[in-house]
Amino acid sequence: MCGIIGYVGNQEVAPIIVDCLKKLEYRGYDSAGLTVLNGKIETYKTVGKIKELEKILPKDLKGNIGIGHTRWATHGVPSTINSHPHNSGDISVVHNGIIENYLPIKERLQQEGYDFVSDTDTEVIAHLLHSKLYGSVDSKSKISSFIEALRSTLKEIEGSYAITTVCSSEPGMMLAARKDSPLIIGIGDNEYYAASDVTAFLSHTKDVVFVDDLNLVMIRPEGAEFFDLDGNVLKKEKTTIDWDIEAAEKAGYEHFMLKEIHEQATSVHDTFSGKLSELDGSVNLEELKMSNEEIRNIERIEIIACGTSLNAGLVGKYLFENVAGIHTDVDIGSEFRYSNPIMDENTLSIAITQSGETADTLAAIRSCRSYDCNTIAITNVVGSSITRDANSVIYTRAGPEIGVAATKTFTAQLVTLYLLAIRFARARGMIDVNEAKDLLVNLKRVPGQIQTILNHRDTIRECAEMFAKERDYFFVGRHLNYPIALEGALKLKEISYIHAEGFAGGELKHGPLALIDDGTPVVAIATKGHVYEKILSNIKEIKAREARVIAVANEDDREIEKYVDWVLRVPATNELLSPLLSTVVLQLLAYYTALARGCSIDKPKNLAKSVTVE
Ligand code: F6R
């Protein structure tokens, strides 16, 4: 997730862009850059925060039109070359989003003589736009207008984007466009802003137009015009927003955690975007530096992680064993580092860490080196420490997570584990094309299903408020839903400070039932699957102790209503994928419970976002 900005007006643009970028810094902060249009395009970019960019800007940088970017890397490490803007001839582009088909376009443009300097997907937009405007890399005469060239570029690229772009042969204008990535136009006094969120320009204007998908905007000092991809002029209504800066950073949500829970429809999609082929049931994981033969030789997988990432790892165990047929162990980083594991070159170690900086996970994966085994890191932070310690690095594309409680990074980790499990299963001949296709088709439906859950959040809120004063809370699940019970309990305890524990349903009678009595809330994850009847019988055991049961169940499950006190619904999906949906319900349950108890949700007491010490 990056931040983009553009400005057209009568003030000096460089200080305005810098000011707007500082407001966007929370969206990403590994590098930044800007382009000023002043007869030519003048571009400055650097690694680090916006204050580093400020240091390299000439004092006399003049111009009234410009674009800027603050980056959270997805393609290519944080570096000056990879930071935006990306230029081609007299064109400069900034982009937020992911271009899924950038590789074939890049190869074609390279054959046409375009010189690519970065590892980014965005550079493709700049060169493609140039080729549409001038016809070839060397030509100086235009074959279309700037807006026509952008329209034609957008028709060719697949994926998500919010773009602002300028061209020095079109001196009085900036163009902007969006698809599946936010873009808002701010309207000031004879000046216009285009940004990935209103936070950027809120101190300059509160009058905005929200740009719709597949719309283009042509912004000149005299006004902003809106078009669809066929060139039809669109009429847009101006809205005045009443958010202050703090509310705007949270996109109007009360807390970052709630915003991040809501971002999951997008972050789940972004994490699998460009990697699935439903036609042949294959998963394309370029980042995985393992041949099919090496995958076939894996005898055991060792997953290492802490906290929420550990719970993702426990789901991974079920996936690798059930889908790919590979024996899998899961270990806590802090325990593994002091153990004497039995490993060899046929063991694959997978470290899962959203921050990439958790000291125990880092130490554990480093200790695997002496066993000669292959290692994979799954992380959300490009260039983080873990990326230097693994043979392959697979990035989740959740964007920066600010709330201390992990939410969108957890579901993105799960998506990555599904992709790996399917990739391994295909290489080892453990599932056929049709089974793989079924999983991929269902995975593609998950973002929409998450949105359905979010649309019904009021029921979850009502339930949370009902039980918010409890002292203890229990979560039970079986099979894949057992780690989700652990994760539900972890979320609740860390932000609401209620004592919460997760159990495997079958373990209840081996101890935990002693804790359950009259009125204790117990959340049972009871989505349909091969252990559904088993969890129903656990629910009956719990009800016999007069506890109150909240079930997480499928939309069409009427049977469950007979046995429980509350039902929180999730759409039906392939049994293996249901953790991606049940988790969202439990995150909302934890959030609304903490809200009702007046807790400090984004910064719970005693906890840090990244645990870089032992
Ligand atoms: C819980 C939470 C922590 C982290 C744990 C590992 O919501 O955020 O339990 O999951 O500290 O962090 P990473 O994934 O950065 O290694």
Side-chain angles (χ1 to χ4, degrees):
M1 204 169 78
C2 306
I4 69 163
I5 179 72
Y7 173 84
V8 175
N10 44 27
Q11 302 187 59
E12 285 305 336
V13 71
I16 293 186
I17 296 275
V18 165
D19 176 61
C20 294
L21 286 178
K22 282 184 179 163
K23 308 279 174 28
L24 287 176
E25 212 164 15
Y26 76 97
R27 290 177 72 105
Y29 35 76
D30 60 47
S31 48
L34 60 74
T35 291
V36 169
L37 190 62
N38 52 15
K40 55 187 185 308
I41 50 168
E42 264 194 76
T43 299
Y44 298 89
K45 45 195 200 175
T46 180
V47 174
K49 299 208 163 193
I50 312 302
K51 59 179 188 313
E52 303 304 320
L53 177 66
E54 259 182 308
K55 286 184 199 158
I56 62 163
L57 294 180
K59 295 275 167 294
D60 56 350
L61 184 57
K62 297 275 177 229
N64 309 120
I65 296 181
I67 57 177
H69 190 269
T70 177
R71 182 167 189 250
W72 177 264
T74 54
H75 286 82
V77 294
S79 68
T80 304
I81 281 181
N82 285 339
S83 59
H84 301 214
H86 289 284
N87 297 349
S88 182
D90 58 0
I91 295 169
S92 190
V93 177
V94 295
H95 163 226
N96 177 30
I98 295 166
I99 304 305
E100 290 173 10
N101 60 340
Y102 81 102
L103 272 177
I105 301 177
K106 180 172 176 173
E107 277 160 22
R108 195 192 76 218
L109 289 169
Q110 279 172 325
Q111 278 161 15
E112 289 173 19
Y114 283 95
D115 186 19
F116 281 76
V117 292
S118 77
D119 303 320
T120 66
D121 51 340
T122 304
E123 199 181 356
V124 146
I125 305 175
H127 291 313
L128 188 59
L129 187 52
H130 183 278
S131 77
K132 304 275 185 192
L133 188 59
Y134 291 103
S136 73
V137 64
D138 305 317
S139 169
K140 298 275 175 274
S141 48
K142 290 189 200 155
I143 58 165
S144 85
S145 67
F146 191 30
I147 190 158
E148 268 306 324
L150 180 60
R151 195 173 293 139
S152 164
T153 299
L154 300 181
K155 283 185 173 170
E156 201 167 325
I157 58 179
E158 289 164 18
S160 58
Y161 53 78
I163 295 167
T164 53
T165 177
V166 289
C167 171
S168 59
S169 66
E170 302 272 2
M173 104 173 38
M174 172 179 74
L175 298 178
R178 75 156 270 183
K179 177 177 171 268
D180 295 334
S181 200
L183 179 69
I184 302 110
I185 307 299
I187 303 170
D189 258 354
N190 295 317
E191 58 181 13
Y192 297 86
Y193 300 81
S196 43
D197 72 58
V198 286
T199 329
F201 55 70
L202 210 56
S203 53
H204 301 271
T205 179
K206 288 184 185 273
D207 290 337
V208 304
V209 176
F210 290 97
V211 181
D212 290 322
D213 265 353
L214 299 172
N215 285 184
L216 273 90
V217 196
M218 181 161 71
I219 307 173
R220 290 180 287 196
E222 54 274 24
E225 289 172 273
F226 297 80
F227 303 91
D228 65 17
L229 279 196
D230 294 321
N232 300 309
V233 178
L234 304 169
K235 269 191 112 40
K236 294 281 176 183
E237 292 297 322
K238 190 169 82 175
T239 314
T240 303
I241 47 166
D242 54 10
W243 295 342
D244 59 19
I245 290 280
E246 211 194 315
E249 276 186 354
K250 295 177 193 145
Y253 293 103
E254 208 171 324
H255 295 94
F256 279 111
M257 182 181 177
L258 188 61
K259 173 173 178 265
E260 286 156 5
I261 290 172
H262 279 76
E263 281 170 352
Q264 288 177 110
T266 306
S267 52
V268 161
H269 174 269
D270 286 349
T271 301
F272 65 61
S273 169
K275 295 184 155 79
L276 314 183
S277 166
E278 301 118 285
L279 287 180
D280 63 356
S282 67
V283 168
N284 168 27
L285 275 177
E286 271 168 42
E287 313 91 315
L288 182 65
K289 307 281 178 268
M290 288 181 83
S291 64
N292 280 347
E293 199 191 334
E294 284 173 309
I295 294 172
R296 282 192 284 272
N297 286 341
I298 303 170
E299 284 173 5
R300 184 170 81 82
I301 295 178
E302 172 66 57
I303 298 180
I304 302 161
C306 302
T308 287
S309 299
L310 181 77
N311 293 335
L314 289 169
V315 175
K317 172 181 165 68
Y318 288 88
L319 299 178
F320 290 128
E321 294 188 342
N322 284 271
V323 183
I326 310 175
H327 173 89
T328 303
D329 295 300
V330 186
D331 277 290
I332 300 169
S334 54
E335 289 298 315
F336 183 89
R337 64 186 291 189
Y338 297 112
S339 66
N340 288 310
I342 315 292
M343 300 172 84
D344 60 24
E345 69 278 9
N346 294 327
T347 309
L348 168 68
S349 297
I350 304 181
I352 309 176
T353 163
Q354 77 78 23
S355 63
E357 302 294 349
T358 298
D360 287 322
T361 308
L362 284 172
I365 198 81
R366 282 173 191 153
S367 75
C368 293
R369 274 192 204 141
S370 53
Y371 299 95
D372 244 12
C373 59
N374 217 321
T375 50
I376 299 177
I378 299 177
T379 184
N380 196 44
V381 182
V382 174
S384 57
S385 302
I386 196 91
T387 63
R388 292 186 282 281
D389 287 308
N391 302 113
S392 307
V393 179
I394 305 181
Y395 290 110
T396 49
R397 292 175 181 160
E401 190 173 64
I402 299 184
V404 163
T407 51
K408 62 177 178 169
T409 53
F410 176 69
T411 42
Q413 288 167 348
L414 294 186
V415 170
T416 307
L417 292 164
Y418 287 107
L419 298 181
L420 269 177
I422 298 169
R423 171 80 181 81
F424 288 173
R426 290 304 311 277
R428 295 164 73 97
M430 292 301 293
I431 52 172
D432 64 24
V433 176
N434 289 332
E435 288 170 294
K437 275 188 193 172
D438 181 63
L439 270 172
L440 298 184
V441 167
N442 278 292
L443 183 56
K444 278 207 158 176
R445 289 194 188 123
V446 166
Q449 293 173 321
I450 289 179
Q451 195 54 54
T452 306
I453 296 169
L454 296 170
N455 295 346
H456 294 102
R457 61 190 173 274
D458 286 350
T459 317
I460 304 172
R461 181 175 191 155
E462 223 181 293
C463 176
E465 286 169 357
M466 180 95 147
F467 296 101
K469 296 217 163 65
E470 298 298 328
R471 209 189 49 179
D472 305 297
Y473 232 107
F474 299 106
F475 291 73
V476 293
R478 301 184 75 123
H479 196 65
L480 275 161
N481 289 333
Y482 166 49
I484 299 309
L486 296 177
E487 177 58 10
L490 177 58
K491 273 311 73 105
L492 187 70
K493 75 177 92 164
E494 68 182 324
I495 61 165
S496 76
Y497 316 140
I498 294 178
H499 165 238
E501 284 190 64
F503 300 111
E507 274 293 288
L508 283 174
K509 53 177 97 55
H510 300 287
L513 270 185
L515 296 170
I516 291 172
D517 46 28
D518 195 4
T520 312
V522 181
V523 179
I525 303 145
T527 46
K528 283 281 167 70
H530 72 289
V531 289
Y532 176 73
E533 293 302 330
K534 302 286 169 200
I535 194 78
L536 272 193
S537 87
N538 292 136
I539 289 173
K540 288 173 199 164
E541 277 168 1
I542 297 164
K543 279 307 290 177
R545 272 80 189 170
E546 296 188 351
R548 286 172 298 169
V549 177
I550 304 156
V552 178
N554 290 129
E555 274 161 358
D556 57 353
D557 184 354
R558 300 271 81 91
E559 165 91 359
I560 195 93
E561 291 166 8
K562 293 188 215 149
Y563 310 113
V564 304
D565 302 84
W566 274 86
V567 189
L568 303 175
R569 300 287 181 183
V570 292
T573 181
N574 182 305
E575 178 182 359
L576 289 172
L577 296 169
S578 69
L580 281 168
L581 302 177
S582 306
T583 295
V584 179
V585 171
L586 301 187
Q587 292 167 348
L588 286 167
L589 186 70
Y591 173 80
Y592 285 122
T593 306
L595 189 69
R597 290 165 70 92
C599 298
S600 162
I601 293 181
D602 284 332
K603 291 196 177 117
K605 68 172 190 240
N606 304 338
L607 298 180
K609 183 71 188 155
S610 176
V611 185
T612 54
V613 291
E614 192 176 355

